[in-house]
Amino acid sequence: MSLIIGVPRETFAGERRVATVPDVVVKLIKLGFKVSIETGAGNAANFSDDTYRAAGAEIAANAAALWSQSDIVFKARPPTLAEVGMLREGATLIGFIWPAQNPDLMQALASRKATVLAIDSLPRQLSRAQKMDALTSMAGISGYRAVIEAANAFGRFFNGQVTAAGKIPPARVFIAGAGVAGLAAIGTAANLGAIVRANDTRAEVADQVKSLGGEFVKVDYEEEGSGGGGYAKVMSEGFQRAQRDMYAREAKEADIIITTALIPGKPAPKLITAEMVRSMKAGSVIIDMAGEQGGNCELTEPGQAVVKHGVTIVGYTDLPSRLAKQSSTLYGNNLLRLMEELCKTKDGAIDVNMEDDAIRGLTVIKQGEVTWPPPPPKLPAAPAAKPAAAPVAAPKGHGHSASEPMAGSTLAIIFGIGAALFWLVGAFAPDAFLGHFTVFVLACFVGYMVVWNVTPSLHTPLMSVTNAISSIIAIGALIQIAPPLSSLTESRPDGWILGMAVLALALTAINMFGGFAVTRRMLAMFRK
């Protein structure tokens, strides 16, 4: 018997997302499920009831009808206690729950004998769980939207310009926290032309910041800040003091500050003090992405945009909802991947396998029994370290190691042999050969010095273009095909010579044009 997946309309104030979209409905039906959508559930995200009907979903007349008939309920926001009262006993609920922050909700769901899969409890350190990671999907959208909100409130170009009316400096953006949301904000702000600086307690994200066009600002204090599940940990008081000093310096120079710091189950850390806000330039902007958990700025008012000390402080708590169609699509795909894991037989039934680390981490209530918090996931064992290679003994006698200078006697012997070879060439070789040989030796020396002094990352493009230039031998082939005027009276080259010349010309043409084409494509990789 096929289970019914129900998608109610979100009742949280200002929430415009919907937990699934028509494209996902088609795929859920292929898994064997029936899908029911509350009428109007997708209107705010620009998905009408007709588009859901066309995808094969049924439309429920109201919330009570949907909750009462659904075996599985998809939600974006945690359900209210009134919605829990409408949930069928023994049904399955999938969505954001935040079990640490909502103990009363957990108790109410357990009393309904429900099975609850909290998408926010997914063990994100498991690579196979990434396709179900709705936290990452929503954080990426939030980071992008934070920059758009900042641009709207800033009232000036992000990129620097030189116009007939005057020079416009680029905006200076400082981003506190380089997690998924922070990295999305860095990339968006850099693409808009701003000067972007960012900080994070985890030193390993520095390369990611640079790769997106930002500059990593390091705190002058040595302490590792990596926590579990891709989050940062709570830092020591000494580190926090040094971090505040750095933030105070950055606040004076920044036009825009975007804060993203959150630690699961704890209030948002206060990173931007009222004194820092007062030190900022008039017209500056702070986007506090941690507003829902109290905010990273002392002056943030959650859900509001306010102006204090001449600085606009935006504490919106619905950033993903401000891109409702995009966020609904990504969230719907995350839940689809979860259903594929729960319904591997594609028969419209689910199996909540508690032996599966990803499913076990998600399951906070199983048939009325609270199973949260889960045990730590069993991560794959680290590969055994290879035994160290035995050191190679340095050769005895007149040999030398890579780090030691060559012995004087060896150097003298090498130069002596080289001089003898050159004397033999000069004494017995024809004059024409001697001239060509001299040019060859000088070309080798010049070519080596040119390549040696080029940045290693450009070696391959350089070799491609020198390869193309070396196709000057095409001139020799042309001479064989069409002899110079002075030799027109002489006999034409025979068939073998002509054929070899034509073949050489074809190959060198490919080499020439291919070399320049490869060089152009490879150099394009270094351009922004």
Side-chain angles (χ1 to χ4, degrees), residues 45-280:
N46 294 319
F47 296 111
S48 67
D49 289 351
D50 289 340
T51 61
Y52 283 109
R53 284 194 188 94
E58 298 178 359
I59 303 300
N62 52 56
L66 181 126
W67 284 88
S68 62
Q69 72 180 8
S70 299
D71 303 298
I72 304 168
V73 176
F74 285 178
K75 280 278 291 168
R77 290 277 183 171
T80 63
L81 294 179
E83 288 174 322
V84 173
M86 293 187 287
L87 181 67
R88 281 180 57 181
E89 189 167 304
T92 299
L93 174 67
I94 302 175
F96 284 98
I97 302 297
W98 306 109
Q101 291 94 326
N102 296 307
D104 292 342
L105 174 62
M106 291 284 287
Q107 192 62 40
L109 288 167
S111 68
R112 300 292 296 174
K113 308 296 182 184
T115 296
V116 181
L117 279 70
I119 203 72
D120 48 272
S121 297
L122 180 76
R124 303 168 75 188
Q125 60 269 45
L126 298 177
S127 59
R128 57 180 291 267
Q130 292 176 2
K131 61 186 178 182
M132 303 177 277
D133 189 0
L135 279 173
T136 293
S137 300
M138 297 303 103
I141 291 175
S142 297
Y144 173 87
R145 184 67 193 194
V147 176
I148 302 304
E149 295 292 342
N152 178 60
F154 185 45
R156 208 182 80 197
F157 290 143
F158 264 47
N159 62 322
Q161 296 186 18
V162 178
T163 70
K167 182 178 180 181
I168 302 171
R172 301 181 66 90
V173 179
F174 177 70
I175 296 173
V180 176
L183 291 172
I186 292 167
T188 306
N191 288 337
L192 288 175
I195 297 173
V196 184
R197 293 162 64 84
N199 167 260
D200 196 278
T201 57
R202 298 161 294 181
E204 66 268 19
V205 303
D207 289 339
Q208 299 176 47
V209 171
K210 294 175 185 175
S211 69
L212 290 169
E215 177 186 351
F216 188 77
V217 183
K218 193 175 184 299
V219 177
D220 190 18
Y221 193 98
E222 294 298 329
E223 183 177 350
E224 175 54 45
S226 295
Y231 294 98
K233 70 176 185 180
V234 179
M235 306 301 285
S236 67
E237 179 56 37
F239 182 93
Q240 294 181 36
R241 191 181 307 111
Q243 187 182 53
R244 284 193 294 270
D245 292 340
M246 183 270 291
Y247 283 159
R249 293 191 302 269
E250 292 295 327
K252 293 178 181 178
E253 299 180 2
D255 298 308
I256 295 167
I257 294 177
I258 299 176
T259 65
T260 70
L262 277 175
I263 297 173
K266 297 181 182 293
K270 300 300 180 185
L271 304 179
I272 308 299
T273 64
E275 185 60 34
M276 294 179 196
V277 175
R278 280 192 288 268
S279 72
M280 296 179 71

Side-chain angles (χ1 to χ4, degrees), residues 307-514:
V307 179
K308 296 184 179 180
H309 307 296
V311 177
T312 301
I313 304 172
V314 178
Y316 294 151
T317 58
D318 60 346
L319 289 174
S321 185
R322 288 170 180 260
L323 285 171
K325 187 167 187 175
Q326 183 67 78
S327 55
S328 297
T329 300
L330 293 182
Y331 184 58
N333 281 324
N334 291 140
L335 296 190
L336 169 66
R337 301 308 171 200
L338 172 57
M339 296 306 293
E340 289 174 342
E341 292 293 316
L342 295 173
C343 181
K344 294 182 178 179
T345 55
K346 298 184 180 181
D347 58 354
I350 62 172
D351 175 23
V352 182
N353 181 11
M354 300 296 272
E355 299 300 318
D356 184 314
D357 280 347
I359 303 302
R360 175 64 186 89
L362 284 167
T363 308
V364 295
I365 300 176
K366 177 74 179 292
Q367 297 175 346
E369 180 184 352
V370 176
T371 59
W372 185 87
K378 297 184 283 291
L379 298 177
K386 295 181 179 179
V392 179
K396 297 182 180 180
H398 295 290
H400 65 280
S401 68
S403 59
E404 295 176 352
M406 187 182 296
S409 58
T410 304
L411 190 62
I413 292 172
I414 291 175
F415 271 104
I417 294 173
L421 290 175
F422 275 100
W423 179 81
L424 289 171
V425 170
F428 299 100
D431 291 341
F433 175 81
L434 187 60
H436 290 309
F437 183 70
T438 303
V439 172
F440 172 74
V441 171
L442 291 175
C444 289
F445 175 76
V446 172
Y448 173 80
M449 294 304 297
V450 168
V451 174
W452 182 260
N453 289 285
V454 170
T455 303
S457 59
L458 292 175
H459 279 177
T460 302
L462 178 66
M463 294 306 293
S464 297
V465 76
T466 54
N467 196 37
I469 294 172
S470 71
S471 297
I472 196 71
I473 59 174
I475 294 175
L478 288 171
I479 292 173
Q480 291 297 326
I481 294 173
L485 293 175
S486 60
S487 61
L488 286 178
T489 57
E490 301 176 3
S491 60
R492 305 286 297 181
D494 60 29
W496 279 103
I497 295 176
L498 187 62
M500 294 296 291
V502 171
L503 178 62
L505 185 61
L507 293 176
T508 51
I510 294 172
N511 192 44
M512 185 183 302
F513 293 106

